[in-house]
Amino acid sequence: MIASQLVTPGQLNTSWEDVAGLSLVIQEIRETIILPILQRNRRNASQLIHPPKGILLHGPPGCGKTLLARAIAQEAGVRFINLDVSSLTDKWYGESQKLSSAVFSLAAKIQPCIIFIDEIGILETMKQLPMMKAQFLQQWDGLATDHSNCILVMGATNRPQDVDRAIIRRMPAAFHIPLPSVTQRKEILKLILKSEDVNRDVNIDNLAMKTDGFSGSDLKELCRTAAVYRLRHLLLKGNELLDESDDEDIKPITVEDFVHSL
Ligand code: ATP
């Protein structure tokens, strides 16, 4: 009906180490979300501390919201339901009311878990969704007062101003993930290039300075394109693609490759 994906912590393959330049937000997330989840099953757990039932990650596209959501689930050791509401079409109008019940009853069975809704603002713009939304909010409210379960609804959006106030109110924990600063870009570039063969003429500080306005996703694309450029010397050799018997080494990525890519 709606594309959704259930992932167990072991399958998430995303940890804090995959997220660069966001140590302050991660620290806040640890205290607000991870610690309250982890303490739940400890002896003498505090009854005063509960993870927030609604969490909003907001900021420009490609800055790591989805990456963070997956890392949070993995670090907290909870399952992750990735709910893609954008795949809902008019065709499924009659089914939409059943959807929220199905999602919450699945969540109740497999908890502790996070229900992740990317582009949560879409709930507003789809005309076939009011019933589903009303039911979703009702079930969400049921969670908010019941601390015996551990089901967290996490939404992500590029445009928090377009998200309905009724939804925003249910997300008391909100984290802004902005475009990376020069220092953050440096950390992201270092992470992306960690296992790449990069020539000594490539200066990561310079690269970070020249990429003002780039998101983490843009930086990844920049490095990927530079990595493609460095293969040109193989192609230029007689304009023939390498076959497996060709044992010429692939050269490191040079500053020239980055200049082309930029
Ligand atoms: P959208 O709003 O378009 O859904 P998003 O904010 O959810 O974007 P992601 O999908 O998490 O962004 O990021 C896309 C990719 O960019 C990531 O898979 C990762 O490769 C890279 N990336 C973005 N930010 C970071 C970061 N802070 N550290 C490491 N990689 C990053």
Side-chain angles (χ1 to χ4, degrees), residues 18-20 22 61-67 118 158 188 191 216-217 220:
D18 300 302
V19 186
L22 291 175
C63 289
K65 298 183 293 295
T66 309
L67 192 67
D118 201 1
N158 304 326
I188 296 171
L191 177 69
S217 165
K220 193 165 180 184

Side-chain angles (χ1 to χ4, degrees), residues 6 10 21 49 61 96 118 144 162 165 181-182 187 196 218 227 259-260:
L6 168 62
I49 302 171
S96 67
D118 201 1
D162 290 349
R165 289 188 173 279
S181 66
V182 65
E187 288 179 35
E196 292 294 316
D218 296 332
V259 170
H260 275 286

